[in-house]
Amino acid sequence: MGTHWRLLDTGSISAARNMALDQVILNARSSNQVPNTVRFLQFSPHCVLVGYHQSVELEIEEHYCHEQGIEINRRITGGGNLYWDESQLGWEIYAPKNTPGIPQRLENMYRLMCEGVVVGLERLGVKAHFRPTNDIEVGGRKISGTGGTEMGDIFLYQGTLLTDFDVDTMLSALKLPIKKLEDKHVSSFKQRVTCLKEVLGYLPPIEEIKAALTAGISEVLGITLEPGALTETEQKSLDKEQIRFQSEEWIRGMRTIPQANDLRMAEHKTRGGLIRVSLRLDVDRQCIKSAFITGDFFAYPSRSIMDLEAALKNSSSQPAEIAKTVNQFFIDHQVSIPGVEADDFCQALCLACGKAGESSNAEEL
């Protein structure tokens, strides 16, 4: 796969700076200014992040976060809402999609990227496994969620390793369906995730964890990781990009739910994540006036969902026409969403079109 890659450890920094760094390194690698790169990242202060295709107002308990000093930001990658406390460790891989040995099929690429972390965890005495589509688990419980994005011919693949996790703060900071459930269901949810401290009975020093993951990634990808630093160009770009990633325009993503009396909402669960659809309809003309699609999936190219919304604007709300619009869009734009098909979006849209206009549904989403 090419032998010498750069290893970056950017330490504990703010959410905006970390998100800006994702973009900066991706830009630098896509213009061939830097080598293939593996980065370790941490957050300070603690924060919540929505995925690129999500809406802050649907996913985050904003009042609680402001009260607790929890920063709110948006990733350049898809996926779900996440809470990061200061103990968590993030890992990222930047490389060309045509790197020898890296599968072209996204779901196979996901497996390979995760395998490096699985081998790293074995060095810490943790028996972990890849769980499709994009999780790493220990004894059936999730210890790392992963996902990615791309720019041109370069991909960014990233994951979160749960070390010593504060589940209760996470439940308070994120809007999750389980909040409406009984305590026993909340307890069941907590049993779905685990962390290094729980698995091992103690928390290894962070440098030991990083060293193990470095060795695992190196072994699986067949590379040599050489500690490095940001280039002068990356550093200058970071200072500029951070301003954009601190802005409300980025954090909100201009992803605001349409306001109208004839708002229809629906959600559809797929293997690759949850699709949430909000539509403003002209019922008399059987027309979709505007569409708002969010979810915790990973779409390639990353702009696909916004472009799909544009394609649906003023289109027919009839099921056959929705299918024609969506399927043609997927073909024309070469859309790829692991675990999600064009038909899944058709189902979500048709479900929303068939619902009575009950704006109270927003509470349930």
Side-chain angles (χ1 to χ4, degrees):
M1 288 191 187
T3 51
H4 297 278
W5 291 28
R6 176 177 62 163
L7 177 64
L8 281 180
D9 185 349
T10 50
S12 295
I13 55 179
S14 70
R17 198 162 179 82
N18 262 319
M19 297 304 94
L21 254 177
D22 285 350
Q23 189 67 64
V24 165
I25 299 170
L26 194 56
N27 290 345
R29 185 64 194 89
S30 68
S31 57
N32 216 27
Q33 295 177 353
V34 297
N36 293 345
T37 297
V38 172
R39 174 165 91 106
F40 289 124
L41 61 152
Q42 294 165 268
F43 290 82
S44 182
H46 55 168
C47 66
V48 288
L49 303 175
V50 293
Y52 185 74
H53 305 292
Q54 292 189 308
S55 162
V56 169
E57 61 192 305
L58 290 177
E59 305 294 342
I60 303 299
E61 296 288 1
E62 296 181 69
H63 181 70
Y64 176 84
C65 289
H66 292 317
E67 277 189 337
Q68 300 298 317
I70 300 172
E71 293 185 344
I72 300 171
N73 215 287
R74 174 181 301 277
R75 299 190 304 280
I76 66 171
T77 55
N81 51 1
L82 297 175
Y83 167 67
W84 286 75
D85 64 30
E86 296 181 31
S87 73
Q88 306 319 313
L89 178 63
W91 52 274
E92 299 181 332
I93 299 171
Y94 301 78
K97 290 185 285 186
N98 64 358
T99 301
I102 291 183
Q104 293 299 300
R105 181 174 164 81
L106 283 172
E107 294 186 35
N108 294 337
M109 188 263 273
Y110 281 16
R111 179 183 294 275
L112 180 70
M113 297 295 106
C114 289
E115 198 59 38
V117 175
V118 167
V119 171
L121 288 172
E122 284 177 2
R123 290 173 172 265
L124 295 171
V126 176
K127 192 173 180 58
H129 302 276
F130 172 71
R131 177 174 66 193
T133 304
N134 58 329
D135 288 335
I136 298 171
E137 64 178 21
V138 176
R141 301 170 66 188
K142 179 174 173 178
I143 197 168
S144 180
T146 72
T149 190
E150 60 188 36
M151 173 179 285
D153 295 328
I154 307 299
F155 72 82
L156 156 61
Y157 198 80
Q158 59 188 188
T160 311
L161 179 64
L162 301 180
T163 52
D164 182 7
F165 198 46
D166 183 352
V167 178
D168 292 316
T169 299
M170 179 197 76
L171 293 175
S172 298
L174 304 180
K175 286 185 176 177
L176 298 170
I178 63 164
K179 288 183 178 173
K180 296 183 182 251
L181 302 179
E182 301 171 12
D183 286 346
K184 65 179 181 181
H185 292 116
V186 175
S187 297
S188 173
F189 174 81
K190 290 180 179 180
Q191 288 302 309
R192 295 182 186 180
V193 296
T194 190
C195 62
L196 275 182
K197 186 174 183 180
E198 184 176 359
V199 173
L200 294 173
Y202 71 100
L203 184 61
I206 193 71
E207 293 306 321
E208 185 180 332
I209 299 170
K210 290 174 183 175
L213 296 191
T214 298
I217 293 169
S218 300
E219 178 183 330
V220 168
L221 298 187
I223 59 174
T224 300
L225 281 170
E226 299 178 341
L230 294 173
T231 65
E232 187 177 341
T233 302
E234 285 174 311
Q235 191 64 55
K236 286 180 180 175
S237 181
L238 172 58
D239 293 336
K240 188 167 72 172
E241 284 282 6
Q242 185 174 338
I243 297 170
R244 178 167 76 97
F245 279 81
Q246 287 170 330
S247 70
E248 282 295 301
E249 183 178 358
W250 169 256
I251 295 167
R252 296 280 158 190
M254 307 309 287
R255 311 283 287 146
T256 304
I257 299 175
Q259 299 300 314
N261 292 329
D262 56 352
L263 186 65
R264 312 287 181 93
M265 294 185 171
E267 59 182 37
H268 174 59
K269 182 70 176 170
T270 75
R271 189 167 55 88
L274 183 70
I275 299 171
R276 285 174 167 154
V277 172
S278 304
L279 300 179
R280 190 162 59 86
L281 295 181
D282 183 329
V283 178
D284 293 334
R285 292 175 55 227
Q286 296 186 326
C287 171
I288 297 173
K289 298 296 293 177
S290 64
F292 178 68
I293 302 169
T294 65
D296 56 0
F297 43 78
F298 295 86
Y300 302 85
S302 60
R303 280 205 54 85
S304 300
I305 300 306
M306 272 75 97
D307 291 340
L308 175 58
E309 290 172 351
L312 288 164
K313 192 170 185 178
N314 295 318
S315 68
S316 171
S317 61
Q318 290 300 298
E321 292 300 315
I322 287 173
K324 189 184 296 183
T325 301
V326 173
N327 284 313
Q328 193 60 51
F329 177 85
F330 266 64
I331 293 168
D332 291 345
H333 292 75
Q334 297 182 309
V335 180
S336 179
I337 306 179
V340 186
E341 306 294 337
D343 185 58
D344 289 311
F345 285 92
C346 295
Q347 288 188 50
L349 289 161
C350 290
L351 183 61
C353 287
K355 280 194 171 183
E358 298 174 6
S359 54
S360 60
N361 286 349
E363 181 71 21
E364 298 169 15
L365 298 179

